Amino acid sequence: MWCVAELDEEYIRRMEDILAVYEKPLNEREPVVCVDEKPVVLHQEIRPPQAMRPGQVARRDGEYQRCGTANVFCGVQPKVGRYFPKVTADRSSPEFADYLLEVAVRYPEADTIHLVLDNLSSHTRKAVVERFGQKAGSWLWDRFTVHYTPKHGSWLNQAEIAISLFSRQCLGRRRIADQTSLRKETRAWSRRMNCHPVPIQWAFTRKRARKTFDYIITRSRH
């Protein structure tokens, strides 16, 4: 369900910018990558679950022990169906900066990487510079052309779709007790997805946005 806030000029500007990026044809020199974070609560079984047997479904006890939380950065190149999740302890600025470096390394030949992000306070040049220093941090940040979603506009980030796939296909209803196990399961899911790519078919265009939200873009004359 879409929950769209007040459709002011800033919201429309950012929405149009992101949709314009999505409408571009696939270009290896300018890949489009969407990134978002998913918190994961870690749970430990108190009693061993009972395996499935003939005539009986698998069973598990309703009691569990909470073992803290972890974070998963979910990145995706939508048009290609390339997924690169990463488990971290949290979504702090240093973790985000390290993740951006890993994204940049994946596209050494790109002129720029179009990066779609939400407005989390760590999603800034400052976070990268503080992590790697002024020279290296500025170089890394400049590898990207950043496109921020509008406030209350996270539905425009296709990483939300990647998170949904990850949540259903990797996490499911299982209980995962620690970050080591979560990393193992996440890597397995990533390998499977990238061996059999699942591109995201994004169909919401600027034209549809203007019709759905009933607004008109006026061009200023120079």
Side-chain angles (χ1 to χ4, degrees):
M1 180 177 180
W2 291 359
C3 297
V4 179
E6 180 184 357
L7 206 69
D8 57 17
E9 290 185 5
E10 177 68 8
Y11 194 105
I12 291 173
R13 182 186 67 79
R14 291 193 176 191
M15 178 173 64
E16 288 263 333
D17 174 58
I18 290 173
L19 294 179
V21 170
Y22 289 165
E23 290 171 30
K24 292 182 178 181
L26 182 63
N27 183 349
E28 293 182 357
R29 306 294 297 187
E30 295 188 13
V32 177
V33 175
C34 304
V35 171
D36 202 355
E37 298 93 350
K38 176 178 176 55
V40 177
V41 180
L42 303 172
H43 294 118
Q44 173 72 57
E45 299 282 4
I46 299 297
R47 300 175 182 85
Q50 296 181 6
M52 183 171 52
R53 294 185 298 177
Q56 181 176 302
V57 298
R59 298 178 180 179
R60 71 176 182 185
D61 196 281
E63 188 178 1
Y64 59 84
Q65 178 182 348
R66 180 164 172 158
C67 302
T69 61
N71 173 70
V72 181
F73 287 103
C74 289
V76 60
Q77 187 181 357
K79 278 183 164 50
V80 176
R82 188 180 187 188
Y83 297 80
F84 27 95
K86 180 186 179 183
V87 177
T88 59
D90 52 45
R91 63 178 191 179
S92 62
S93 295
E95 296 283 18
F96 171 70
D98 289 347
Y99 183 73
L100 275 196
L101 178 59
E102 293 185 19
V103 172
V105 168
R106 293 173 182 271
Y107 301 95
E109 303 300 324
D111 295 328
T112 189
I113 304 166
H114 292 281
L115 184 66
V116 178
L117 294 170
D118 63 18
N119 297 275
L120 193 65
S121 59
S122 62
H123 294 171
T124 61
R125 174 188 288 268
K126 179 182 177 183
V128 180
V129 169
E130 287 181 350
R131 181 62 166 169
F132 299 114
Q134 184 65 43
K135 183 177 180 179
S138 295
W139 172 86
L140 176 58
W141 186 257
D142 290 342
R143 293 285 291 117
F144 299 94
T145 300
V146 180
H147 306 268
Y148 289 110
T149 60
K151 188 176 181 180
H152 303 299
S154 60
W155 60 272
L156 284 160
N157 190 341
Q158 293 188 59
E160 293 280 337
I161 300 173
I163 287 176
S164 177
L165 290 171
F166 172 76
S167 298
R168 289 183 283 114
Q169 297 176 359
C170 181
L171 301 179
R173 296 179 179 272
R174 296 180 302 161
R175 292 172 182 163
I176 300 177
D178 52 69
Q179 291 184 34
T180 300
S181 299
L182 180 59
R183 287 190 180 94
K184 179 180 177 181
E185 297 294 339
T186 299
R187 286 195 294 264
W189 178 82
S190 179
R191 285 194 297 268
R192 184 170 67 251
M193 292 294 286
N194 291 322
C195 283
H196 306 282
V198 182
I200 297 174
Q201 303 296 329
W202 184 268
F204 195 72
T205 63
R206 286 174 292 175
K207 182 177 181 180
R208 286 190 61 183
R210 294 165 190 173
K211 181 177 181 180
T212 299
F213 298 125
D214 192 24
Y215 67 89
I216 299 174
I217 295 295
T218 57
R219 307 289 182 183
S220 58
R221 295 182 179 180
H222 298 284

